[in-house]
Amino acid sequence: MACDGERSYGYDDYKEAADWLLDHIDQKPRIAIICGSGLGPLANTLEEQTVFPYEDIPHFPRSTVSGHAGRLVFGRLSGKACVCMQGRFHFYEGHSSSTVTFPIRVFFLLGVEILIVTNAAGGLNDKYNVGDIMFIKDHISMPGLAGQNPLRGPNDERFGVRFPCVSDAYDKDLRNLALKCAEDLGYLDFIREGVYCMVGGPSYETIAECCMLKALGADAVGMSTVAEVLVARHCGLRVFGLSLVTNKVVVSYESQERANHEEVLQTSLLRARALQELVTHLVGRMA
Ligand SMILES: O=P(O)(O)O[C@H]1O[C@H](CO)[C@@H](O)[C@H]1O
């Protein structure tokens, strides 16, 4: 697929995609869920599914990464109308930030109010174990700090304001609700709360970079999520985010460990069930 690094979309493109979807679904979703690497099975738990391959939806980008199927799944979770992205878009695929976040504005136009973002991430915090689920309380965006913010460019007031505040990007009430759900499910042993750091990828971090990210206060590192969250907050969606710690980053020059995507996908499989249960409970308890 050609690199679309410069591609940007206008209001009419989002609207066309949203109107096409509205013509093909029975009920508008209030909750959207983005499935991270290997976390696509979450979408299979939806009941009364209607599925659209991305290529069928006007203007929708294509998934190119293994573990990202490339389908939009509409259905019910805990009785609530939801839409799941089985496969997300990343900068390292060559997409522009406008392409990476295209679905978020489509969801907004569909009437979505809450976004649940999930991702696979490398654990930076020494206390974290592979298989831990970290509720994201904040983020550090390495691309964002260097000027690669998805809101860069002319601001469309129909979506949001020019200078959005993001000190409350990750909704505290939703996080507390998720903690209650985790407690009910007996999951507290492997639940954490921390800071996600986004890097550009696709190469994993060097040892020096991992040491730097730890020193900056990040607890987990990945190559996604932040752009989606910024665009979601811009248009007023409430956000709950979680990272599955699929590997521990390498911070010693003596280590024989090597980060690899196969390990990421395998760990995702191991925790798939717990993650599904958690999200299902959370959605069920949302007002
Ligand atoms: O963030 P998600 O899409 O879950 O995937 C993570 O896993 C992949 C690397 O193994 C990268 O895409 C990284 O961002």
Side-chain angles (χ1 to χ4, degrees), residues 113-116 135 170-181 237-241 282 285-287:
E113 292 166 16
I114 293 176
L115 177 70
I116 300 178
F135 294 170
Y170 300 86
D171 193 286
K172 203 166 181 187
D173 292 339
L174 291 178
R175 221 161 56 237
N176 285 339
L177 189 61
L179 268 177
K180 282 195 196 119
C181 295
L237 306 193
R238 293 171 67 199
V239 173
F240 171 72
L282 177 62
R285 289 180 66 171
M286 280 174 180

mmCIF file of all heavy atoms in Angstrom, residues 113-116 135 170-181 237-241 282 285-287:
data_model
loop_
_atom_site.group_PDB
_atom_site.id
_atom_site.type_symbol
_atom_site.label_atom_id
_atom_site.label_comp_id
_atom_site.label_asym_id
_atom_site.label_seq_id
_atom_site.Cartn_x
_atom_site.Cartn_y
_atom_site.Cartn_z
ATOM 1 N N GLU A 113 -20.168 8.513 22.501
ATOM 2 C CA GLU A 113 -19.837 9.433 23.602
ATOM 3 C C GLU A 113 -18.651 8.974 24.432
ATOM 4 O O GLU A 113 -18.027 9.760 25.139
ATOM 5 C CB GLU A 113 -21.060 9.576 24.532
ATOM 6 C CG GLU A 113 -22.215 10.306 23.884
ATOM 7 C CD GLU A 113 -23.510 10.138 24.660
ATOM 8 O OE1 GLU A 113 -23.472 9.720 25.831
ATOM 9 O OE2 GLU A 113 -24.560 10.420 24.080
ATOM 10 N N ILE A 114 -18.392 7.657 24.376
ATOM 11 C CA ILE A 114 -17.296 7.114 25.195
ATOM 12 C C ILE A 114 -16.377 6.284 24.310
ATOM 13 O O ILE A 114 -16.837 5.457 23.503
ATOM 14 C CB ILE A 114 -17.857 6.232 26.333
ATOM 15 C CG1 ILE A 114 -18.628 7.101 27.338
ATOM 16 C CG2 ILE A 114 -16.734 5.471 27.044
ATOM 17 C CD1 ILE A 114 -19.301 6.328 28.446
ATOM 18 N N LEU A 115 -15.066 6.499 24.466
ATOM 19 C CA LEU A 115 -14.079 5.712 23.719
ATOM 20 C C LEU A 115 -13.272 4.861 24.699
ATOM 21 O O LEU A 115 -12.731 5.385 25.676
ATOM 22 C CB LEU A 115 -13.131 6.657 22.956
ATOM 23 C CG LEU A 115 -12.006 5.957 22.190
ATOM 24 C CD1 LEU A 115 -12.551 5.189 20.986
ATOM 25 C CD2 LEU A 115 -10.950 6.972 21.720
ATOM 26 N N ILE A 116 -13.206 3.568 24.403
ATOM 27 C CA ILE A 116 -12.331 2.676 25.171
ATOM 28 C C ILE A 116 -11.172 2.309 24.249
ATOM 29 O O ILE A 116 -11.392 1.714 23.186
ATOM 30 C CB ILE A 116 -13.089 1.405 25.627
ATOM 31 C CG1 ILE A 116 -14.278 1.798 26.518
ATOM 32 C CG2 ILE A 116 -12.148 0.448 26.345
ATOM 33 C CD1 ILE A 116 -15.128 0.617 26.989
ATOM 34 N N PHE A 135 -4.188 0.560 33.638
ATOM 35 C CA PHE A 135 -5.167 1.591 33.300
ATOM 36 C C PHE A 135 -4.381 2.879 33.066
ATOM 37 O O PHE A 135 -3.572 3.280 33.916
ATOM 38 C CB PHE A 135 -6.170 1.788 34.448
ATOM 39 C CG PHE A 135 -7.063 0.590 34.702
ATOM 40 C CD1 PHE A 135 -7.876 0.537 35.827
ATOM 41 C CD2 PHE A 135 -7.094 -0.487 33.817
ATOM 42 C CE1 PHE A 135 -8.701 -0.559 36.065
ATOM 43 C CE2 PHE A 135 -7.919 -1.590 34.050
ATOM 44 C CZ PHE A 135 -8.711 -1.626 35.176
ATOM 45 N N TYR A 170 -7.787 11.250 30.385
ATOM 46 C CA TYR A 170 -8.267 9.903 30.731
ATOM 47 C C TYR A 170 -9.233 10.033 31.910
ATOM 48 O O TYR A 170 -8.828 10.398 33.018
ATOM 49 C CB TYR A 170 -7.076 8.985 31.055
ATOM 50 C CG TYR A 170 -6.151 8.881 29.854
ATOM 51 C CD1 TYR A 170 -5.139 9.815 29.626
ATOM 52 C CD2 TYR A 170 -6.349 7.883 28.899
ATOM 53 C CE1 TYR A 170 -4.332 9.754 28.494
ATOM 54 C CE2 TYR A 170 -5.540 7.809 27.766
ATOM 55 C CZ TYR A 170 -4.538 8.751 27.575
ATOM 56 O OH TYR A 170 -3.757 8.687 26.458
ATOM 57 N N ASP A 171 -10.478 9.739 31.660
ATOM 58 C CA ASP A 171 -11.590 10.023 32.581
ATOM 59 C C ASP A 171 -11.438 9.274 33.918
ATOM 60 O O ASP A 171 -11.392 8.042 33.956
ATOM 61 C CB ASP A 171 -12.884 9.581 31.877
ATOM 62 C CG ASP A 171 -14.108 10.103 32.562
ATOM 63 O OD1 ASP A 171 -14.446 9.568 33.645
ATOM 64 O OD2 ASP A 171 -14.723 11.036 32.021
ATOM 65 N N LYS A 172 -11.366 10.049 34.985
ATOM 66 C CA LYS A 172 -11.122 9.469 36.313
ATOM 67 C C LYS A 172 -12.283 8.595 36.778
ATOM 68 O O LYS A 172 -12.084 7.540 37.382
ATOM 69 C CB LYS A 172 -10.873 10.597 37.317
ATOM 70 C CG LYS A 172 -10.096 10.141 38.497
ATOM 71 C CD LYS A 172 -9.564 11.296 39.292
ATOM 72 C CE LYS A 172 -8.760 10.741 40.460
ATOM 73 N NZ LYS A 172 -8.338 11.750 41.378
ATOM 74 N N ASP A 173 -13.511 9.033 36.487
ATOM 75 C CA ASP A 173 -14.674 8.244 36.927
ATOM 76 C C ASP A 173 -14.709 6.891 36.228
ATOM 77 O O ASP A 173 -15.011 5.864 36.837
ATOM 78 C CB ASP A 173 -15.980 9.007 36.637
ATOM 79 C CG ASP A 173 -16.100 10.242 37.513
ATOM 80 O OD1 ASP A 173 -15.436 10.279 38.564
ATOM 81 O OD2 ASP A 173 -16.838 11.165 37.132
ATOM 82 N N LEU A 174 -14.384 6.904 34.931
ATOM 83 C CA LEU A 174 -14.377 5.625 34.195
ATOM 84 C C LEU A 174 -13.275 4.717 34.741
ATOM 85 O O LEU A 174 -13.441 3.495 34.855
ATOM 86 C CB LEU A 174 -14.174 5.866 32.695
ATOM 87 C CG LEU A 174 -15.334 6.541 31.953
ATOM 88 C CD1 LEU A 174 -14.981 6.775 30.485
ATOM 89 C CD2 LEU A 174 -16.606 5.698 32.062
ATOM 90 N N ARG A 175 -12.141 5.334 35.094
ATOM 91 C CA ARG A 175 -11.022 4.539 35.628
ATOM 92 C C ARG A 175 -11.418 3.932 36.982
ATOM 93 O O ARG A 175 -11.140 2.761 37.257
ATOM 94 C CB ARG A 175 -9.815 5.447 35.803
ATOM 95 C CG ARG A 175 -8.546 4.768 35.367
ATOM 96 C CD ARG A 175 -7.431 5.723 35.080
ATOM 97 N NE ARG A 175 -7.078 6.610 36.147
ATOM 98 C CZ ARG A 175 -7.079 7.934 36.032
ATOM 99 N NH1 ARG A 175 -7.445 8.493 34.906
ATOM 100 N NH2 ARG A 175 -6.700 8.685 37.045
ATOM 101 N N ASN A 176 -12.086 4.717 37.808
ATOM 102 C CA ASN A 176 -12.511 4.196 39.110
ATOM 103 C C ASN A 176 -13.545 3.082 38.950
ATOM 104 O O ASN A 176 -13.529 2.089 39.675
ATOM 105 C CB ASN A 176 -13.077 5.328 39.974
ATOM 106 C CG ASN A 176 -11.961 6.210 40.504
ATOM 107 O OD1 ASN A 176 -10.803 5.780 40.563
ATOM 108 N ND2 ASN A 176 -12.275 7.447 40.856
ATOM 109 N N LEU A 177 -14.418 3.265 37.969
ATOM 110 C CA LEU A 177 -15.413 2.219 37.688
ATOM 111 C C LEU A 177 -14.707 0.931 37.232
ATOM 112 O O LEU A 177 -15.051 -0.178 37.663
ATOM 113 C CB LEU A 177 -16.370 2.720 36.596
ATOM 114 C CG LEU A 177 -17.599 1.876 36.314
ATOM 115 C CD1 LEU A 177 -18.482 1.766 37.561
ATOM 116 C CD2 LEU A 177 -18.429 2.498 35.167
ATOM 117 N N ALA A 178 -13.697 1.106 36.395
ATOM 118 C CA ALA A 178 -12.939 -0.063 35.904
ATOM 119 C C ALA A 178 -12.227 -0.759 37.065
ATOM 120 O O ALA A 178 -12.137 -1.995 37.100
ATOM 121 C CB ALA A 178 -11.938 0.372 34.842
ATOM 122 N N LEU A 179 -11.750 0.041 38.018
ATOM 123 C CA LEU A 179 -11.087 -0.554 39.192
ATOM 124 C C LEU A 179 -12.070 -1.405 39.991
ATOM 125 O O LEU A 179 -11.740 -2.499 40.449
ATOM 126 C CB LEU A 179 -10.534 0.547 40.091
ATOM 127 C CG LEU A 179 -9.095 0.977 39.833
ATOM 128 C CD1 LEU A 179 -8.711 2.124 40.753
ATOM 129 C CD2 LEU A 179 -8.114 -0.188 40.019
ATOM 130 N N LYS A 180 -13.296 -0.885 40.131
ATOM 131 C CA LYS A 180 -14.334 -1.649 40.846
ATOM 132 C C LYS A 180 -14.614 -2.954 40.119
ATOM 133 O O LYS A 180 -14.759 -4.015 40.721
ATOM 134 C CB LYS A 180 -15.623 -0.830 40.944
ATOM 135 C CG LYS A 180 -15.571 0.215 42.016
ATOM 136 C CD LYS A 180 -16.982 0.748 42.327
ATOM 137 C CE LYS A 180 -16.868 2.055 43.095
ATOM 138 N NZ LYS A 180 -17.475 3.196 42.420
ATOM 139 N N CYS A 181 -14.702 -2.874 38.780
ATOM 140 C CA CYS A 181 -14.966 -4.081 37.984
ATOM 141 C C CYS A 181 -13.829 -5.080 38.177
ATOM 142 O O CYS A 181 -14.060 -6.284 38.350
ATOM 143 C CB CYS A 181 -15.085 -3.746 36.494
ATOM 144 S SG CYS A 181 -16.482 -2.700 36.110
ATOM 145 N N LEU A 237 -15.339 13.354 23.496
ATOM 146 C CA LEU A 237 -15.607 11.994 23.969
ATOM 147 C C LEU A 237 -14.908 11.774 25.307
ATOM 148 O O LEU A 237 -13.819 12.310 25.533
ATOM 149 C CB LEU A 237 -15.086 10.936 22.974
ATOM 150 C CG LEU A 237 -15.527 10.994 21.522
ATOM 151 C CD1 LEU A 237 -15.171 9.692 20.811
ATOM 152 C CD2 LEU A 237 -17.001 11.249 21.389
ATOM 153 N N ARG A 238 -15.528 10.970 26.167
ATOM 154 C CA ARG A 238 -14.851 10.546 27.397
ATOM 155 C C ARG A 238 -14.005 9.326 27.047
ATOM 156 O O ARG A 238 -14.427 8.485 26.246
ATOM 157 C CB ARG A 238 -15.871 10.183 28.472
ATOM 158 C CG ARG A 238 -16.662 11.378 28.950
ATOM 159 C CD ARG A 238 -17.795 10.924 29.857
ATOM 160 N NE ARG A 238 -17.301 10.367 31.100
ATOM 161 C CZ ARG A 238 -18.022 9.574 31.904
ATOM 162 N NH1 ARG A 238 -19.256 9.221 31.569
ATOM 163 N NH2 ARG A 238 -17.525 9.123 33.034
ATOM 164 N N VAL A 239 -12.821 9.230 27.669
ATOM 165 C CA VAL A 239 -11.885 8.173 27.275
ATOM 166 C C VAL A 239 -11.473 7.301 28.456
ATOM 167 O O VAL A 239 -11.111 7.814 29.525
ATOM 168 C CB VAL A 239 -10.604 8.797 26.658
ATOM 169 C CG1 VAL A 239 -9.545 7.731 26.407
ATOM 170 C CG2 VAL A 239 -10.932 9.527 25.354
ATOM 171 N N PHE A 240 -11.543 5.993 28.239
ATOM 172 C CA PHE A 240 -10.903 5.054 29.162
ATOM 173 C C PHE A 240 -9.855 4.292 28.349
ATOM 174 O O PHE A 240 -10.160 3.759 27.283
ATOM 175 C CB PHE A 240 -11.925 4.067 29.764
ATOM 176 C CG PHE A 240 -11.256 2.964 30.542
ATOM 177 C CD1 PHE A 240 -10.676 3.244 31.769
ATOM 178 C CD2 PHE A 240 -11.179 1.680 30.044
ATOM 179 C CE1 PHE A 240 -10.022 2.242 32.490
ATOM 180 C CE2 PHE A 240 -10.537 0.672 30.755
ATOM 181 C CZ PHE A 240 -9.965 0.951 31.983
ATOM 182 N N GLY A 241 -8.620 4.245 28.864
ATOM 183 C CA GLY A 241 -7.556 3.561 28.126
ATOM 184 C C GLY A 241 -6.879 2.506 28.970
ATOM 185 O O GLY A 241 -6.713 2.678 30.181
ATOM 186 N N LEU A 282 -17.174 -3.501 32.467
ATOM 187 C CA LEU A 282 -17.102 -2.034 32.495
ATOM 188 C C LEU A 282 -18.239 -1.430 31.672
ATOM 189 O O LEU A 282 -18.947 -0.528 32.133
ATOM 190 C CB LEU A 282 -15.735 -1.581 31.965
ATOM 191 C CG LEU A 282 -15.518 -0.076 31.852
ATOM 192 C CD1 LEU A 282 -15.600 0.584 33.227
ATOM 193 C CD2 LEU A 282 -14.169 0.238 31.211
ATOM 194 N N ARG A 285 -21.539 -1.636 33.331
ATOM 195 C CA ARG A 285 -21.778 -0.752 34.489
ATOM 196 C C ARG A 285 -21.738 0.728 34.143
ATOM 197 O O ARG A 285 -21.905 1.579 35.012
ATOM 198 C CB ARG A 285 -20.755 -1.065 35.593
ATOM 199 C CG ARG A 285 -21.046 -2.423 36.232
ATOM 200 C CD ARG A 285 -20.092 -2.786 37.313
ATOM 201 N NE ARG A 285 -20.174 -1.924 38.485
ATOM 202 C CZ ARG A 285 -19.541 -2.181 39.623
ATOM 203 N NH1 ARG A 285 -18.798 -3.262 39.733
ATOM 204 N NH2 ARG A 285 -19.648 -1.358 40.644
ATOM 205 N N MET A 286 -21.504 1.015 32.867
ATOM 206 C CA MET A 286 -21.508 2.431 32.462
ATOM 207 C C MET A 286 -22.931 2.968 32.475
ATOM 208 O O MET A 286 -23.845 2.274 32.045
ATOM 209 C CB MET A 286 -20.934 2.583 31.057
ATOM 210 C CG MET A 286 -19.421 2.559 31.042
ATOM 211 S SD MET A 286 -18.812 2.561 29.357
ATOM 212 C CE MET A 286 -17.046 2.534 29.659
ATOM 213 N N ALA A 287 -23.089 4.192 32.936
ATOM 214 C CA ALA A 287 -24.442 4.763 33.041
ATOM 215 C C ALA A 287 -25.038 4.944 31.658
ATOM 216 O O ALA A 287 -24.331 5.259 30.721
ATOM 217 C CB ALA A 287 -24.362 6.099 33.747
#
